[in-house]
Amino acid sequence: MSTIELKNIVISKISEINDETFLAAINTILDSKSETIENYNSDLKKSEIDLVQGNVATHNQVLEKIAQWKKR
């Protein structure tokens, strides 16, 4: 089954639903999916910029900072 066929099946099934609570739940799922992708892509772009600018730390450097914070 292709993506287009699957989309059409899902759309058809959703169009037959009259339960407002169920439709709200589907809407929440769809909203969270789109937000997750957008946030994921945004975080990737920020990480790439940090990497290019040298704003990174090694694992050992992070462990050293944690050890210093624990001493406070």
Side-chain angles (χ1 to χ4, degrees):
M1 180 179 309
S2 72
T3 303
I4 293 173
E5 291 171 325
L6 186 57
K7 282 182 183 181
N8 288 332
I9 290 169
V10 171
I11 290 168
S12 175
K13 288 182 179 182
I14 290 173
S15 69
E16 295 173 6
I17 298 170
N18 292 317
D19 182 333
E20 186 176 347
T21 303
F22 190 72
L23 290 170
I26 292 171
N27 189 52
T28 299
I29 292 169
L30 294 173
D31 284 347
S32 68
K33 178 67 176 167
S34 65
E35 288 178 22
T36 301
I37 291 170
E38 290 170 4
N39 289 343
Y40 178 79
N41 288 336
S42 175
D43 288 345
L44 278 179
K45 287 180 183 178
K46 290 175 187 175
S47 296
E48 289 172 349
I49 291 169
D50 282 340
L51 187 60
V52 168
Q53 293 178 346
N55 299 328
V56 295
T58 67
H59 181 70
N60 287 337
Q61 289 171 328
V62 172
L63 291 177
E64 288 175 18
K65 283 186 178 185
I66 292 171
Q68 290 172 2
W69 290 335
K70 286 182 177 180
K71 291 179 183 177
R72 292 183 185 178

